[in-house]
Amino acid sequence: MIQTGIQALQLLWTAEVLLHLGLGILVGLTVGVLPGLGGTVGMAILLPFVFGMEPTTGIAMMIGFIAVGHTSDTFPSILLGVPGSGGSQATIMDGYPLARQGEASRALGASFSASVLGGVFGAIALLLLIQIARPLVLALGSPELLMMTVLGLTLVGMLSRGSALPGLLAGLIGLLLGAIGDSPVTLQYRYTFDWLYLADGIPLPVLALGLFALPEMLSLLVENRSIARGGDLRGSLWSGVRETFRHKKLVVQSSMIGVGVGMLPGLGGSVTDWIAYGVAQRTQRNTENFGKGDIRGVIAPESANNAKEGGTLIPTLLFGIPGSGTTAILLGGLLMMGIQVGPRMVTDNLDVTVSIVWMLTLANIVAAIVCLALARYIARISLIPARILSPVIFVIVIGAAYQSTRSWGDVWVMLGIGAVAYVMKEVGFPRAPILIGFVLSSSVERYYHLSVSIYGVQWMQRPGVIFLAAVTVALVYGFIRTNVSSKNRQGVLK
Amino acid sequence: MNRDPAKTVQRIAFDVLLVAMFASAAVGASDFRQVARYFPLTVSIVGCFFALISLGVDVRRLIAGKQVVISAFDTLAMEHPDRELTSDSSDMTMRVSINQSTILTAASNAEKPWQSSLIALGYLGSIIVYILSVSLLGMIIGSFLYVATFISLMTDWARWKAVALALSVATVMYFLEQYIGIRLPPGIFLS
């Protein structure tokens, strides 16, 4: 194995490969900074350039892109409260409040260092797991995937502070919004109101931009302040980096979640950061500041979403099953270059697999260095008064929403959701659970239908289902117990 | 939780909206074919049930909140505008640890949610006008006009600075469209 590792490094260590890796990193960082674009669009832009390239060079460019998209997407999430991509939604929960407290630099420092550690963890996990993951992935059927989505849905209650009722309602709204469009189980269009745009459902970026970007910008305008309320920046990048190393257990825990969820095809990468965030909120001590500007709320999702990329590559390379739109295009690119994915990736093509691990590691490190170098300057955005910043952000947000399906429906739906989300923000109604419900909606319906159709009621007797059900019940029990004890404490104080 | 009566009223209005939304979703779901019906019907019925509970909780909170406001504001502040209300008063109704100015401040704060909602509505209107102008003139020209006008009207910036910023935004968009391949909304008249 060591010899293969050295051979793979030699394969990578040529000027041409490094140059293309750098190009991929550059495009990845740019796409990440632009809200709403996401990895799939970026990969679609890169794919024509890969055609006809040497396999190692083409792979370097694509892996460079995939590895770093979730590093730079943190800039808009933390500084503007606008999700840079589907994988950086949970970062807003604490990153944006930190920017509002003038601690944008600290949040960015923690985010980039967590991203690089998560990315490297994902790369190592890819190397170790690709040889043993086959029985694990094949053992997972629809019932287990259904239970994984149910586990994800339990986060709905955990993400709403205080009473669980608004969180539950928000989660149900998300599930209902996810039911719009064609049914995943039969040929039926639902809630489309005879509008062709809704036939494919509401795109995730449109919902995320509407839920977070518009309300935040409207609030800033109404308050007429800069994002950093105090008008100055406190905390340094390095204090954020130190925080990440101080919470190394959290980084490892979140990275493991990232790899685990990433390697399950069909669960969707957008939920990884929420699961990592929710689990951090459950497992860490003194969590009363989660959602108000706790640095751990930045570290957890950022470690997870970069580690996820290593996990996603396991089913992609081992079975040819892409876990996301980005890896689907990667798969297309690999096939175009004549690389047959499958079990041969750990036998005949092991050097290619190991070189991918090296590329993931290198790309994550380079991206973190670039982002850390730029962060100090970009953090100053949070000092710009709202009346100057907001019109520019509105332009970006509307352009970004339009990229989803490139139709006017994107813009109008985003505006409608944004108006309702502003009311939600004003009345203190949680918005994050809507996204979780939305992301998991079609999975819950599809996997439930498949489980019942294939296994009947016996799907509940599978060992994996029982194990995951036990984990879910334990999490819910822990949540109720913590809530009851915190309410009792408040009662005693009163 | 939220004790501000004006906010609670907003919350109740939102709860009513949720009940109506889930109820109409349930009615809509009953028209779908059987397999496609189960999921949205279940979600909307459960949602309607919890929205009704939320409505009940907020109405209760409003009634409790109003009692506080009526007793504190109407009974005390209106009848005794010249007297400070302290906790050592012999009269039971005077045993309130807040003075009149605190009550008046609370009353004025209670009006703010509506005021801020109106301001937000104004800004939302400006975005709708912007989108309409984009649909007519295209993203680049529409955005240039929007940014330049907005900043000129809302800040004390010199006009040339506002135009320069708007021009920069438009140039970046042009670059993204021409060289990166990002497609921007086209206008009916210009694009």
Side-chain angles (χ1 to χ4, degrees), chain A residues 27-28 58 64 76 102 113-114 165 187 207 243 246 329 359 375 382 404 418 441:
Chain A
V27 178
S113 46
L165 186 60
L187 189 66
L207 181 71
E243 294 267 16
R246 206 158 65 84
I329 300 176
M359 286 170 196
S382 62
S404 298
S441 179

Side-chain angles (χ1 to χ4, degrees), chain A residues 165-166 168 172-173 187-188 190-191 387-388 394-395 398-399 402-403 408 415 422 424 426-427 441 445 449, chain B residues 7 11 14 18 25 29 32-33 35-36 39 50 116 120 123 127 130 134 139 146 154 157 182-183 185-186:
Chain A
L165 186 60
L168 190 67
L172 289 166
I173 294 172
L187 189 66
Q188 168 93 58
R190 300 182 296 200
Y191 305 123
R387 284 178 176 172
I388 296 167
F394 284 139
V395 169
I398 285 160
Y402 187 76
Q403 302 310 309
W408 278 102
L415 196 67
Y422 178 75
M424 289 178 174
E426 284 298 293
V427 299
S441 179
E445 190 175 5
H449 181 73
Chain B
K7 281 231 166 186
R11 188 86 185 221
F14 188 69
L18 287 183
F32 302 148
R33 243 172 272 147
V35 186
F39 179 70
F50 283 116
S116 65
Y123 284 124
I127 301 171
Y130 161 55
V134 167
M139 185 78 180
Y146 170 66
M154 303 303 292
W157 266 27
I182 289 168
R183 217 174 124 199

Side-chain angles (χ1 to χ4, degrees), chain B residues 81-152:
Chain B
D82 53 329
R83 288 167 64 180
E84 190 171 81
L85 311 170
T86 56
S87 56
D88 56 353
S89 169
S90 56
D91 186 343
M92 286 296 282
T93 55
M94 297 294 183
R95 286 192 180 178
V96 182
S97 61
I98 48 174
N99 61 29
Q100 189 186 340
S101 66
T102 313
I103 296 169
L104 290 171
T105 310
S108 100
N109 280 344
E111 297 300 321
K112 275 184 182 167
W114 299 108
Q115 202 184 334
S116 65
S117 299
L118 278 176
I119 298 169
L121 210 61
Y123 284 124
L124 207 61
S126 81
I127 301 171
I128 292 171
V129 172
Y130 161 55
I131 294 173
L132 290 175
S133 76
V134 167
S135 69
L136 293 176
L137 303 170
M139 185 78 180
I140 294 176
I141 297 173
S143 302
F144 170 78
L145 291 174
Y146 170 66
V147 175
T149 313
F150 191 99
I151 293 178
S152 301

Side-chain angles (χ1 to χ4, degrees), chain A residues 43-58:
Chain A
M43 278 295 274
I45 293 169
L46 273 189
L47 195 63
F49 297 101
V50 173
F51 189 73
M53 272 187 189
E54 280 289 309
T56 322
T57 319

